[in-house]
Amino acid sequence: MNCGHSISGEFCAHCGQKADTARITIYSLIKNDILGSIWHVETKFLHTLKNILFRPGTTAMDYISGKRIRYNNFISLLLILFGFNVLTYHFYRKFAPPEELTDDVLDMMNFISKYSKTILFVIIPMLAFNAYFLFKRIKLNVAEHFIIGTVSLLGILILFLLSDIVSLIGLWKPVEKIFNIIDKILFGLSILFPAITYWTAFKNSYSKPGLLWRVSVLYVLMVLEGTVISLILYEIF
């Protein structure tokens, strides 16, 4: 083994290297190093996205409790999804009809495009600190609430990405109406996603009324804080 330790199983308990160190052949290169790596990365990536979208609270609590091997790193995933969102946004702006891009719409899009990274990455610590005080019974620290906030933002970015794709397809006139409806549904879900995340994460720790008022206060705080930050950015820059 690379680390010099002896092993008795399939993997080295000290460094994690596989016990199988047979010669590399064309077959093993294609099967294990190329196709195996691609399949592992893609399945883990899609598994993480699926769980964040459909089991956000459970996924966050699994990650906090140490069940992390099945998921992609959430921060890396955040950067990847942010990049995809920027890409689809530019495609929409390029292909959208000029009549849809009024001055007000363009001003808003320019503001969001310019400061989206600042706004998005401020959301996580805001969620973390607000939730830390609102859900104190759970006894999670701020860093653990940071993970839940990250999962909330990841879900929003997934829905935004789907919305951008739907908007691009909706530029084709024969399907415009139905895709506009789907786009509105996705937008509504993105607004509700933090509530879904915290509700599914803490539903066994609070009564429904107790959870409802805490999530409602969380939203009020987020709206107030988000408005202040947006106004500061708009005034300064």
Side-chain angles (χ1 to χ4, degrees), residues 8-220:
S8 57
E10 188 178 353
F11 295 91
C12 174
H14 184 73
C15 69
Q17 182 183 339
K18 291 184 70 173
D20 181 10
T21 55
R23 281 188 75 180
I24 297 172
T25 64
I26 295 295
Y27 174 77
S28 69
L29 182 68
I30 294 173
K31 178 177 179 291
N32 300 324
D33 292 80
I34 299 175
L35 294 179
S37 297
I38 292 171
W39 176 250
H40 174 71
V41 170
E42 286 188 349
T43 52
K44 193 172 183 179
F45 180 79
L46 294 174
H47 174 80
T48 306
L49 293 185
K50 182 191 76 173
N51 277 274
I52 287 172
L53 200 55
F54 295 105
R55 302 170 61 248
T58 306
T59 299
M61 296 307 287
D62 279 351
Y63 196 89
I64 289 168
S65 67
K67 301 173 184 177
R68 297 165 194 162
I69 191 66
R70 69 187 72 172
Y71 302 118
N72 275 104
N73 179 278
F74 289 160
I75 303 301
S76 299
L77 195 58
L78 198 65
L79 297 173
I80 292 169
L81 287 174
F82 182 78
F84 282 149
N85 273 275
V86 170
L87 188 63
T88 52
Y89 160 77
H90 283 296
F91 272 116
Y92 178 79
R93 185 164 179 172
K94 181 178 180 180
F95 294 111
E99 61 270 16
E100 290 188 14
L101 301 176
T102 62
D103 289 341
D104 290 340
V105 170
L106 284 173
D107 286 343
M108 180 60 68
M109 290 175 76
N110 287 333
F111 179 78
I112 293 173
S113 175
K114 191 172 182 180
Y115 304 115
S116 56
K117 193 177 294 186
T118 302
I119 294 168
L120 288 175
F121 286 99
V122 164
I123 287 175
I124 298 175
M126 281 167 52
L127 277 170
F129 281 103
N130 291 337
Y132 174 76
F133 292 105
L134 286 169
F135 300 99
K136 293 205 76 169
R137 185 192 302 174
I138 309 299
K139 298 189 184 304
L140 297 178
N141 60 40
V142 173
E144 289 166 331
H145 277 290
F146 191 94
I147 294 298
I148 302 174
T150 302
V151 170
S152 294
L153 183 53
L154 281 168
I156 292 170
L157 287 177
I158 294 169
L159 291 167
F160 277 3
L161 181 60
L162 293 174
S163 176
D164 289 341
I165 294 170
V166 165
S167 295
L168 280 168
I169 299 172
L171 294 175
W172 187 41
K173 292 299 182 184
V175 297
E176 182 179 11
K177 288 184 179 179
I178 187 167
F179 275 84
N180 281 342
I181 294 171
I182 296 172
D183 192 27
K184 287 181 173 63
I185 292 171
L186 289 171
F187 179 76
L189 287 173
S190 69
I191 298 296
L192 291 173
F193 199 83
I196 296 169
T197 303
Y198 285 97
W199 190 279
T200 54
F202 301 142
K203 63 183 179 181
N204 296 325
S205 303
Y206 291 94
S207 65
K208 289 183 179 179
L211 198 51
L212 182 61
W213 80 255
R214 284 174 173 84
V215 170
S216 299
V217 172
L218 183 68
Y219 267 75
V220 171

